[in-house]
Amino acid sequence: MPLTADMRRSIDQIRDYLFGGGYPDPMSNAEQLSFLFFFYLFESIDDENQQRAAMLNQPCTSLFSGDWTLRNPATSVMASSVREGSLTATVLQTGTPTVPRSLFRWSVWAADLSGDALVHFVRDEVFPFFTEIGEAGAHNFMRGARLGISEPTVLAQVISLVDGLGLDQADSDTKGDLFEHVLRQIKQAGELGQFRTPRHIIRSIVEMIDPQVGETLYDPAAGTAGFLVAAYNHIRLTHSSPEAIVEAEVEGKLQRRGLGDRLQPDALRTLQGATFFGNDVDPKMVRLATMNLALRGLPNVRILQRNVLTTAIDEERRAELGLPAEGFHVVLANPPFSGRVDKDRIVEEVRIGTTSSTELLFLKYMLDSLRPDGRAAVIVPEGVLFGSTAAHKTLRRQLVEDNRVDAVLSLPGGVFQPYSGVKTSVLFFRKGSRTRHVLFLHTDDDGYELDANHDTPIAADDLPHLSNVYARREEAWTRWEAREPAAEWDEKWWFADAAALGDNDYNLSAGRYRPMSEAQAEHQSPRELLDELSALEDEIAKELETLRIAMQEFGP
């Protein structure tokens, strides 16, 4: 069942109702909705577990069996009577402080409770109930969770709208698309410079990196797990028969989806339990990522709450967490831009000189996280490619001389609107070996209007063609070598060899090496010129800030 217009409207109604009811923070609202989705879905999950156990003649105790000791008997609600399977709730005044756990089924409490009784029961009992369940599992995304909607009318209306979504009848793709629609409402960047990566950009990057069954995939700044979800969908699509591939409209564009019917049981178990790994420093992001993965059919993927720049994990702890000792096959990430970390807190493994810039430290960390010949695709601000500090040059030299940079995909300015106007590129590299030449790919259009919201679909889209060039980059290199240097080169891709990179302080900015005739130079896109100037301005501002901090530390 595809995501319907009615479902989208229901989510928009929830958003509008929360905003109008005095809850304007989209991040917090998305987190609250993830909790309500979990409460709603858990009843059907528990029922399915009971049915499966009965079919296999195996014991299985429902998590709704037995009694629950009320955490706050003075204000919590309990059943005074049960009528036709529904709950008639009253505020507990006297009597036993225990109630049947069956009252925690969504179909019971969400149907009959209202007013203050609803707020009290959800806040004081439902949240602790599901937190206890989470603590018994492989990971607990409910840890520290609390109800953030205290207005009874607003909570009742939101619960009614969630109930009307019919999530238990939807397949995993529809559930995931619905949750992505929730996440799209988050339109502000975080304090460390993190923000939601456009899903069409993620899908293009994943298609280019082409993850395979049996490989381990890692996102050390997972956010809402967009890269991990896209990688899972890509693998399912590549292991689907033609009749198991459908097209769904997502964000105004048709997207191919595969059911993964050609995945063998062992491969499916590997995907669900030993393939995807991630971290995020923000507990809200960890919860959103966990819910996003669970709705997509990956409930056992563990997203750690961790700042990889300030904490290290020893071999024993890595083994406990099931992390591959030799490193990851694939790293996919959009690490925070423009953030800085206290120098005293940076772990030794990721240090690059004296820099505290998160984009450089993350890049170093991701390079070190790869296994030999492991590959990465990382979104970076343009300044990483041409910055003139010692840390910038050292990191680029390591990438080029001690590893293999395969390609740089230059994205148009405005791709990350409305979060940020920063100009970005995607670095594709492998650990080990040495760079012979780098493929530069230039994007003018990404399929969406490059305006303040970046959400209006347009026909112009360079990404599919450039993705194909990347897949056939050795053929492209042969064609590049055979070209006539003096002739016009009107392709949106070109190469630079290692010698040229070394002569330019290992500058990896695509524009530095673009073959351009006199006519092309005269007609260079004004938008492209503005993007280049903006990137230079951002980098100058960062270097001035670094200098200011250094002067404060060491004095005049």
Side-chain angles (χ1 to χ4, degrees):
M1 178 182 72
L3 182 63
T4 65
D6 286 342
M7 286 180 168
R8 290 192 184 93
R9 279 193 291 270
S10 293
I11 291 297
D12 293 340
Q13 284 179 331
I14 294 173
R15 175 200 63 194
D16 295 341
Y17 206 87
L18 285 167
F19 187 85
Y23 302 94
D25 180 15
M27 180 78 76
S28 296
N29 292 344
E31 182 188 37
Q32 293 295 303
L33 276 178
S34 73
F35 296 143
L36 294 177
F37 286 172
F38 179 57
F39 302 159
Y40 177 95
L41 290 168
F42 194 82
E43 181 173 350
S44 61
I45 292 171
D46 187 77
D47 289 342
E48 289 172 5
N49 289 340
Q50 303 306 306
Q51 295 169 10
R52 187 180 302 110
M55 290 176 59
L56 299 174
N57 197 27
Q58 295 177 343
C60 183
T61 302
S62 170
L63 291 170
F64 295 111
S65 296
D67 292 328
W68 169 262
T69 301
L70 291 170
R71 297 298 188 261
N72 191 358
T75 58
S76 296
V77 300
M78 65 174 292
S80 59
S81 64
V82 176
R83 182 178 64 252
E84 297 179 339
S86 64
L87 169 66
T88 301
T90 59
V91 176
L92 178 65
Q93 301 295 337
T94 60
T96 175
T98 62
V99 296
R101 292 172 69 95
S102 59
L103 300 186
F104 289 89
R105 289 180 176 273
W106 175 283
S107 60
V108 178
W109 62 265
D112 283 350
L113 294 179
S114 61
D116 289 336
L118 175 64
V119 173
H120 292 155
F121 189 66
V122 175
R123 181 193 66 200
D124 298 337
E125 310 301 338
V126 173
F127 269 75
F129 177 85
F130 284 101
T131 298
E132 181 182 278
I133 288 175
E135 288 172 350
H139 54 279
N140 181 16
F141 90 104
M142 289 289 297
R143 183 178 293 112
R146 57 182 293 274
L147 177 65
I149 307 171
S150 57
E151 172 58 43
T153 303
V154 174
L155 181 60
Q157 183 65 20
V158 170
I159 286 173
S160 176
L161 289 169
V162 170
D163 193 65
L165 291 172
L167 287 175
D168 57 331
Q169 303 299 317
D171 59 33
S172 61
D173 284 328
T174 302
K175 292 174 187 174
D177 289 345
L178 186 68
F179 196 58
E180 283 290 349
H181 192 68
V182 173
L183 299 177
R184 287 187 69 193
Q185 314 310 320
I186 303 173
K187 295 185 180 296
Q188 80 272 17
E191 292 181 1
L192 296 179
Q194 70 271 38
F195 39 77
R196 183 174 180 269
T197 311
R199 277 8 186 194
H200 65 286
I201 298 294
I202 285 178
R203 286 193 296 272
S204 294
I205 293 171
V206 168
E207 180 182 345
M208 294 166 75
I209 213 76
D210 192 22
Q212 303 293 313
V213 174
E215 293 185 323
T216 51
L217 282 77
Y218 179 45
D219 185 345
T224 58
F227 272 110
L228 302 182
V229 166
Y232 178 56
N233 289 341
H234 175 82
I235 292 171
R236 285 199 304 158
L237 178 61
T238 58
H239 289 81
S240 296
S241 57
E243 57 272 18
I245 296 176
V246 298
E247 285 190 335
E249 187 270 321
V250 180
E251 299 181 353
K253 297 274 189 176
L254 287 178
Q255 179 184 334
R256 295 172 75 232
R257 295 276 181 75
L259 300 180
D261 57 313
R262 289 180 173 171
L263 285 167
Q264 297 299 314
D266 287 348
L268 189 57
R269 281 192 292 271
T270 297
L271 280 178
Q272 293 175 336
T275 296
F276 303 103
F277 303 86
N279 312 309
D280 202 274
V281 68
D282 188 338
K284 287 185 179 180
M285 286 295 185
V286 171
R287 290 169 185 153
L288 295 176
T290 301
M291 176 56 67
N292 199 12
L293 291 163
L295 291 173
R296 295 287 185 181
L298 297 170
N300 298 319
V301 174
R302 182 168 187 170
I303 303 297
L304 299 176
Q305 183 184 340
R306 177 187 169 214
N307 187 337
V308 299
L309 304 183
T310 60
T311 60
I313 298 180
D314 59 29
E315 292 184 9
E316 182 178 353
R317 181 58 176 156
R318 289 182 67 87
E320 290 176 3
L321 295 171
L323 303 176
E326 68 279 14
F328 298 94
H329 293 90
V330 176
V331 171
L332 297 162
N334 178 16
F337 299 167
S338 305
R340 291 191 180 277
V341 184
D342 186 340
K343 289 181 181 179
D344 294 334
R345 298 177 60 219
I346 300 171
V347 294
E348 191 62 34
E349 296 93 310
V350 302
R351 288 184 181 274
I352 314 170
T354 60
T355 188
S356 60
S357 297
T358 57
E359 59 264 36
L360 296 179
L361 297 173
F362 261 107
L363 193 55
K364 172 67 161 56
Y365 170 80
M366 288 183 281
L367 176 60
D368 293 343
S369 297
L370 290 170
R371 61 186 289 155
D373 203 39
R375 60 199 190 282
V378 183
I379 298 175
V380 296
E382 200 84 348
V384 169
L385 306 179
F386 61 75
S388 59
T389 69
H392 282 88
K393 294 179 181 180
T394 297
L395 185 56
R396 292 198 303 266
R397 180 186 56 76
Q398 289 177 1
L399 282 170
V400 173
E401 291 192 353
D402 303 329
N403 302 277
R404 194 175 97 199
V405 180
D406 286 325
V408 177
L409 171 64
S410 176
L411 298 174
V415 160
F416 286 101
Q417 294 286 16
Y419 312 96
S420 170
V422 65
K423 178 74 171 67
T424 58
S425 289
V426 187
L427 270 175
F428 294 85
F429 58 89
R430 291 177 181 264
K431 185 170 184 177
S433 187
R434 186 182 178 90
T435 302
R436 294 189 297 116
H437 49 254
V438 175
L439 169 64
F440 291 98
L441 305 157
H442 178 80
T443 312
D444 285 314
D445 295 288
D446 69 335
Y448 290 85
E449 191 70 43
L450 293 167
D451 56 13
N453 291 314
H454 192 225
D455 58 4
T456 303
I458 60 173
D461 188 357
D462 296 323
L463 291 173
H465 172 64
L466 296 179
S467 177
N468 186 58
V469 173
Y470 177 84
R472 301 171 177 270
R473 54 191 177 278
E474 290 307 316
E475 295 178 22
W477 170 250
T478 300
R479 180 183 165 192
W480 171 259
E481 283 282 86
R483 80 192 189 288
E484 175 57 50
E488 291 277 343
W489 183 262
D490 56 3
E491 295 285 0
K492 294 186 177 182
W493 57 268
W494 52 91
F495 283 88
D497 60 27
L501 299 174
D503 291 341
N504 287 277
D505 281 334
Y506 304 99
N507 187 312
L508 291 171
S509 178
R512 173 62 65 95
Y513 308 99
R514 184 171 192 171
M516 194 172 293
S517 67
E518 183 177 343
Q520 288 172 315
E522 290 175 358
H523 296 91
Q524 189 175 5
S525 164
R527 188 173 71 192
E528 185 177 337
L529 288 170
L530 287 173
D531 288 344
E532 291 175 1
L533 288 172
S534 178
L536 284 168
E537 184 179 3
D538 288 343
E539 190 58 31
I540 291 170
K542 289 177 188 176
E543 294 188 16
L544 286 173
E545 177 64 12
T546 299
L547 180 60
R548 184 187 67 80
I549 293 172
M551 291 178 67
Q552 287 180 341
E553 290 179 351
F554 298 106

